[in-house]
Amino acid sequence: MTNSHYSLVLIILIIVAVVVAGDAANVTYDGRSLIIDGKHKILFSGSIHYTRSTPQMWPSLIAKAKSGGLDVIDTYVFWNIHEPQQGQFDFGGRRDIVKFIKEIQAHGLYVCLRIGPFIQGEWSYGGLPFWLHNVKGIVFRTDNEPFKYYMKRYAQMIVKLMKSEKLYASQGGPIILSQIENEYGMIARAFRQDGKSYVKWAAEMAVELETGVPWVMCKQDDAPDPVINACNGRKCGETFKGPNSPNKPAIWTENWTSFYQTYGDEPLIRSAEDIAFQVALFIAKNGSFVNYYMYHGGTNFGRNASQFVITSYYDQAPLDEYGLLRQPKWGHLKELHAAVKLCEKPLLSGLQTTISLGKLQTAFVFGKKANLCAALLVNQDECEATVQFRNSSYLLSPKSISVLPDCKNVAFNTAKVNAQYSTRTREPRQKLSSPHMWEEFTETVPSFSETSIRSESLLEHMNTTQDTSDYLWQTTRFQQPEGAQSVLKVNHLGHVLHGFVNGKFIGSMHGTYKAHRFLLEKNVSLNNGTNNIALLSVMVGLPNSGAHLERRVVGSRSVKIWNGKHSLYFNNYSWGYQVGLQGEKFHVYTENGAAKVQWKKYRDSKSQPLTWYKVSFDTPDGTDPVALNLGSMGKGEAWVNGQSIGRYWVSFHTFKGNPSQIWYHIPRSFLKPSSNLLVILEEEREGKPLGVTIDTVSVTEVCGHVSSSHPSPVISQRRKSHNRKKHRHLKHQYDRRPKVQLQCPNGRKISKVLFASFGTPNGNCWSYSVGSRHSPKSLAVIEKACLNKSRCSVPVWSKTFGGDACPQAVKSLLVHAQCS
């Protein structure tokens, strides 16, 4: 086929896919699956949040999701960014949900719209706007009239918006599923009967919106008809009790591809094999809709991350924070999706049989006709097992599921990865190491007389700031008859506290994600006469979950000074408050705002924290994603050309001694070709801006490790089935064998083979050596097949490598290559 013919066919396929999604005029369901235009469907979905990426990234992210075998894109709707102030709406830029959904439709995919309006999602206040907190008599997420009024008003507005753009499937749009509420089953007990009546009301309210598509409630075992109850978690193949009605399908709304990370915690890594096992098990148990949470996590820009959650979100997802393929997770799941689609007809035939193959081995068989039969052979054991199924013997890998689309041949095994592995590297492109490049502006510590908000007691942080800033100054003053050495003790319930006495910094203390209460205890020197205390309370994101979110309390609970004999308590003293910092007030992170304050030349030594730094940099050449390396900094927030790229907290190390996050994504759409303004607010004295660099992120090494016991890649099998018979015959031996498949991204080519061994190589892709059996032709064969190519495929076949002196041994091919 010529390139022009291939392009024409590709265009036709894309048009057909769009038409198929656009023509989905009727979506219903039964006990087996969703039914779209009269056809039962097994659907794979992936969560991509429009707010955690940029409009410029959306087409690429959606295209990669489709290429990975997804049918559906899932997203929350974020109330607090669309209505930040009551009655003031914003649907521009990253908030343009209509544009996002239309982009999905243009790629021929469906949409699952999770309206909430409470979404949790590690998002500030669980997606609820903070002004809702101030509504008189309101109690969130229960049978409370004020909350129900605003919740219904918001849901109606979103549905009306979707209808006005004809985005529901019933209108020819891509939205085939909607969600109301979110994981309410986690808190329902706290509200007792009011919780039950609220769930019933929410379901009825959603159905009355008449979207023409089904509604779901996740983690809601008692979801009222016709709303579908769905599962969330890592192991829904094992834990889901099933639909609460025989007329509802089994839906998995959140299959966690890793887990969100909080400052101070190690990242949770979930393997591609484990994800594939649970998905296949869910499908074996009649599951028909699986959504990966997240498929692309993205970035918590600005102050949108919830308490203690890092700025990078689900970076271990199949598409990483920057939108690069996370291999082998992306590729292994793509193979799984292709294998399941080969089984779709028998899976949906309604005929299922479960056969015990051993103590921990089971066959799930679908369909009875010889030409319409699929089986999933499940091994729950941690050891491999040989089983007999339909007069054939199968060796099942430990904790694995083999997919047999014809009840005979294994097309896919969850424990055997055909996909390549890849490593992500970051290259410094501009070092900002010259003191002459930087300027600084240091915050002034306010005194009691300079504050305008006064109280005779300690005020709560969130009620005082109204979420306009992470920062709240609390100041008081007192008379001391003589100078003395004393101890300041502050009991604080919150995130971070910085202490100042008479304008001088005395120290800081912070809590953790699981323990917010802490004690700041520092030695202080007091003056004879008037003394000033200034405490800076700092939030690292609003809370986002749990019952009675509107009652959460943050702030100092008690303040006292002890001089060795007596304690002076300040709880009932007169306190002055200042919301936010001077730099925030003047917007010094913008070009116009920066001109409103007096910047000084950078000084390398600091006696005070709370310093703003600014510098100019040029955009790196090329198209690779850009990241800001803040490894030399402490804690704060960073802006590029006036746009916040998020909070950072490099100084908060995990128990292994590592920062939770060093690199911070700068979307290229935030950048100009040159003279980009970078402004950093550093809270701590130890932050060193001279160590900051502008980096690019890319995949520079790929690796494959496949054995002769692996199934051949499903994708190549499917391609082969489209060839004419003579091509099938000629290529049968080649195509039906396992292969190492390598591909360099972004136009790069394989420039060097770092390791190649056919035989019995030791180790894995990133730690290997030649084994006892090794073909001396390994390197030459791989170099001939792969060098200077963007992709290559080499079968795990002894004839390719000059024969086999020991044919009974299982052989492997391990290749590690460099892309440039």
Side-chain angles (χ1 to χ4, degrees):
M1 182 181 291
T2 65
N3 287 339
S4 61
H5 287 159
Y6 176 80
S7 299
L8 180 60
V9 170
L10 186 61
I11 291 170
I12 291 171
L13 288 174
I14 291 172
I15 292 173
V16 169
V18 172
V19 171
V20 168
D23 288 345
N26 185 34
V27 183
T28 58
Y29 63 81
D30 61 14
R32 186 61 190 96
S33 73
L34 292 179
I35 303 170
I36 302 177
D37 278 347
K39 295 181 180 179
H40 287 81
K41 295 281 187 178
I42 289 179
L43 298 169
F44 293 105
S45 172
S47 290
I48 300 176
H49 294 159
Y50 54 101
T51 55
R52 284 172 160 141
S53 53
T54 65
Q56 292 76 15
M57 295 171 65
W58 295 343
S60 174
L61 294 173
I62 296 165
K64 289 174 181 176
K66 181 177 181 178
S67 180
L70 296 193
D71 309 288
V72 184
I73 300 298
D74 168 288
T75 185
Y76 284 132
V77 185
F78 299 77
W79 187 359
N80 56 8
I81 66 163
H82 292 308
E83 193 179 5
Q85 302 298 324
Q86 187 174 353
Q88 298 178 17
F89 299 99
D90 187 350
F91 288 92
R94 295 199 310 276
R95 300 165 176 83
D96 195 343
I97 185 172
V98 169
K99 182 177 180 179
F100 180 68
I101 292 175
K102 287 184 176 180
E103 187 67 46
I104 296 169
Q105 184 179 24
H107 283 79
L109 299 180
Y110 299 118
V111 172
C112 174
L113 193 67
R114 305 175 74 183
I115 292 176
F118 171 81
I119 61 172
Q120 190 165 323
E122 294 68 61
W123 191 261
S124 180
Y125 224 40
L128 301 178
F130 196 81
W131 58 259
L132 198 66
H133 168 94
N134 300 321
V135 173
K136 185 177 180 180
I138 200 165
V139 181
F140 293 170
R141 305 175 69 201
T142 187
D143 195 357
N144 170 266
E145 291 305 321
F147 182 75
K148 290 193 298 181
Y149 169 80
Y150 286 102
M151 174 176 170
K152 182 176 182 178
R153 184 185 68 106
Y154 171 73
Q156 287 174 329
M157 180 197 69
I158 295 299
V159 169
K160 183 178 179 181
L161 176 63
M162 297 299 110
K163 286 182 177 180
S164 70
E165 298 288 341
K166 300 188 184 305
L167 295 177
Y168 283 105
S170 55
Q171 303 171 293
I175 303 173
I176 59 169
L177 202 62
S178 289
Q179 179 178 303
I180 196 71
E181 251 295 339
N182 191 63
E183 296 187 343
Y184 191 73
M186 303 287 288
I187 67 164
R189 286 186 179 181
F191 297 106
R192 300 183 180 179
Q193 188 57 43
D194 283 348
K196 293 181 180 180
S197 57
Y198 167 70
V199 168
K200 182 179 179 181
W201 169 85
E204 291 175 350
M205 182 269 291
V207 173
E208 288 172 359
L209 294 174
E210 296 182 343
T211 62
V213 303
W215 288 87
V216 299
M217 283 181 167
C218 61
K219 282 195 175 182
Q220 194 66 48
D221 294 340
D222 61 349
D225 294 342
V227 177
I228 305 166
N229 62 302
C231 185
N232 283 5
R234 283 189 289 270
K235 297 184 177 182
C236 286
E238 299 176 13
T239 63
F240 187 43
K241 297 177 182 178
N244 62 16
S245 164
N247 298 319
K248 298 177 183 179
I251 288 180
W252 190 351
T253 36
E254 288 188 16
N255 178 5
W256 303 332
T257 54
S258 57
F259 207 57
Y260 65 88
Q261 187 180 353
T262 59
Y263 289 110
D265 288 339
E266 298 289 344
L268 187 152
I269 309 298
R270 191 178 178 200
S271 70
E273 296 92 324
D274 179 52
I275 298 172
F277 177 88
Q278 288 296 331
V279 172
L281 186 60
F282 188 73
I283 296 295
K285 295 182 178 181
N286 284 324
S288 60
F289 183 102
V290 177
N291 177 64
Y292 298 102
Y293 190 96
M294 299 290 297
Y295 199 78
H296 168 258
T299 307
N300 290 313
F301 297 110
R303 298 169 48 245
N304 286 319
S306 63
Q307 57 186 12
F308 286 95
V309 171
I310 69 173
T311 296
S312 175
Y313 191 62
Y314 274 82
D315 184 43
Q316 293 292 327
L319 299 178
D320 72 9
E321 180 183 5
Y322 307 96
L324 302 174
L325 302 186
R326 174 72 70 179
Q327 296 281 33
K329 196 170 286 185
W330 181 88
H332 193 53
L333 295 179
K334 177 179 181 175
E335 286 274 303
L336 169 64
H337 304 152
V340 171
K341 292 293 185 178
L342 290 175
C343 307
E344 191 167 25
K345 285 186 178 180
L347 284 173
L348 295 172
S349 68
L351 301 172
Q352 187 210 42
T353 307
T354 303
I355 304 171
S356 175
L357 303 178
K359 187 177 180 180
L360 295 171
Q361 294 77 37
T362 308
F364 294 88
V365 186
F366 297 83
K368 291 184 179 179
K369 297 180 181 180
N371 62 343
L372 190 67
C373 181
L376 287 86
L377 308 184
V378 179
N379 181 18
Q380 293 272 17
D381 202 343
E382 298 294 336
C383 302
E384 67 180 19
T386 300
V387 299
Q388 297 296 317
F389 174 68
R390 294 201 168 190
N391 301 318
S392 295
S393 179
Y394 296 87
L395 179 63
L396 306 182
S397 300
K399 199 71 176 180
S400 74
I401 299 177
S402 291
V403 180
L404 287 62
D406 57 1
C407 284
K408 293 180 182 179
N409 298 296
V410 176
F412 178 83
N413 181 276
T414 59
K416 293 183 179 293
V417 176
N418 283 320
Q420 72 179 16
Y421 294 73
S422 61
T423 52
R424 187 176 65 183
T425 59
R426 298 175 178 88
E427 178 185 356
R429 299 292 293 273
Q430 188 173 351
K431 296 182 178 180
L432 307 177
S433 55
S434 171
H436 303 293
M437 301 174 71
W438 291 90
E439 292 181 283
E440 65 180 31
F441 163 68
T442 301
E443 288 281 329
T444 300
V445 179
S447 64
F448 178 84
S449 60
E450 294 170 322
T451 59
S452 57
I453 303 173
R454 299 293 169 84
S455 173
E456 297 303 313
S457 61
L458 292 165
L459 296 181
E460 195 273 335
H461 183 121
M462 290 189 291
N463 278 318
T464 309
T465 64
Q466 293 290 300
D467 193 34
T468 58
S469 172
D470 282 347
Y471 303 96
L472 176 65
W473 285 105
Q474 310 165 84
T475 66
T476 191
R477 60 189 176 189
F478 65 99
Q479 296 296 318
Q480 172 74 14
E482 58 184 15
Q485 290 293 320
S486 301
V487 178
L488 174 66
K489 293 184 178 182
V490 184
N491 280 299
H492 195 77
L493 181 64
H495 302 167
V496 180
L497 189 68
H498 303 301
F500 300 80
V501 172
N502 296 324
K504 294 182 179 179
F505 176 66
I506 61 165
S508 302
M509 190 62 65
H510 66 81
T512 66
Y513 176 68
K514 295 180 180 179
H516 295 177
R517 190 180 295 274
F518 59 87
L519 173 67
L520 173 66
E521 183 174 355
K522 296 293 180 179
N523 293 324
V524 297
S525 297
L526 299 179
N527 298 330
N528 181 5
T530 302
N531 289 268
N532 285 279
I533 297 175
L535 303 174
L536 182 61
S537 175
V538 185
M539 293 283 287
V540 188
L542 298 185
N544 76 318
S545 61
H548 295 292
L549 195 60
E550 74 284 347
R551 297 183 188 174
R552 297 301 171 85
V553 175
V554 173
S556 299
R557 314 309 298 154
S558 68
V559 181
K560 69 176 182 179
I561 283 182
W562 182 65
N563 62 10
K565 296 180 180 179
H566 305 287
S567 292
L568 181 60
Y569 291 89
F570 292 92
N571 285 31
N572 295 321
Y573 264 58
S574 183
W575 286 87
Y577 293 86
Q578 176 183 302
V579 175
L581 304 176
Q582 288 177 296
E584 290 180 299
K585 176 183 176 181
F586 293 117
H587 301 116
V588 299
Y589 42 82
T590 66
E591 292 284 359
N592 291 336
K596 295 178 182 179
V597 299
Q598 185 65 46
W599 295 85
K600 299 179 179 179
K601 292 183 178 179
Y602 170 77
R603 295 179 300 164
D604 197 21
S605 60
K606 288 286 179 298
S607 59
Q608 291 282 80
L610 296 173
T611 300
W612 298 78
Y613 299 101
K614 76 180 180 78
V615 71
S616 179
F617 70 94
D618 296 335
T619 298
D621 294 335
T623 59
D624 288 333
V626 180
L628 181 67
N629 183 342
L630 294 176
S632 64
M633 303 303 289
K635 179 187 180 301
E637 189 173 350
W639 290 260
V640 173
N641 294 328
Q643 300 202 60
S644 173
I645 60 172
R647 301 184 185 97
Y648 67 89
W649 199 351
V650 178
S651 61
F652 194 169
H653 289 186
T654 68
F655 70 91
K656 292 183 179 179
N658 302 314
S660 299
Q661 183 179 351
I662 289 177
W663 284 275
Y664 293 79
H665 183 206
I666 309 175
R668 281 191 175 265
S669 59
F670 286 13
L671 299 171
K672 303 179 294 183
S674 61
S675 301
N676 296 286
L677 175 65
L678 168 63
V679 176
I680 301 173
L681 167 61
E682 173 58 54
E683 290 180 31
E684 301 175 349
R685 291 188 298 184
E686 291 74 19
K688 302 294 183 183
L690 300 189
V692 172
T693 60
I694 306 298
D695 300 354
T696 53
V697 187
S698 60
V699 172
T700 56
E701 294 181 15
V702 293
C703 178
H705 187 194
V706 177
S707 77
S708 57
S709 67
H710 279 59
S712 60
V714 182
I715 305 303
S716 67
Q717 287 186 44
R718 295 183 72 186
R719 287 199 195 102
K720 184 178 72 65
S721 68
H722 292 289
N723 294 338
R724 287 174 294 185
K725 289 184 178 180
K726 63 178 182 179
H727 292 305
R728 291 185 197 168
H729 177 73
L730 291 172
K731 294 187 175 183
H732 176 75
Q733 286 187 319
Y734 184 93
D735 283 339
R736 292 294 298 177
R737 293 186 178 279
K739 301 180 186 68
V740 164
Q741 302 174 106
L742 303 178
Q743 181 174 358
C744 294
N746 295 336
R748 290 181 169 83
K749 294 183 178 180
I750 295 173
S751 57
K752 185 177 182 180
V753 178
L754 303 172
F755 179 84
S757 178
F758 174 79
T760 56
N762 299 316
N764 55 42
C765 264
W766 312 123
S767 177
Y768 47 71
S769 62
V770 171
S772 58
R773 294 181 178 87
H774 166 72
S775 169
K777 294 185 177 181
S778 298
L779 182 61
V781 169
I782 298 302
E783 286 182 336
K784 182 178 179 181
C786 299
L787 276 183
N788 300 316
K789 296 179 180 179
S790 61
R791 66 171 68 189
C792 63
S793 176
V794 182
V796 183
W797 192 14
S798 58
K799 288 187 179 180
T800 308
F801 294 90
D804 188 358
C806 189
Q808 68 274 17
V810 175
K811 302 298 190 300
S812 293
L813 175 59
L814 197 160
V815 182
H816 184 193
Q818 181 175 295
C819 298
S820 62

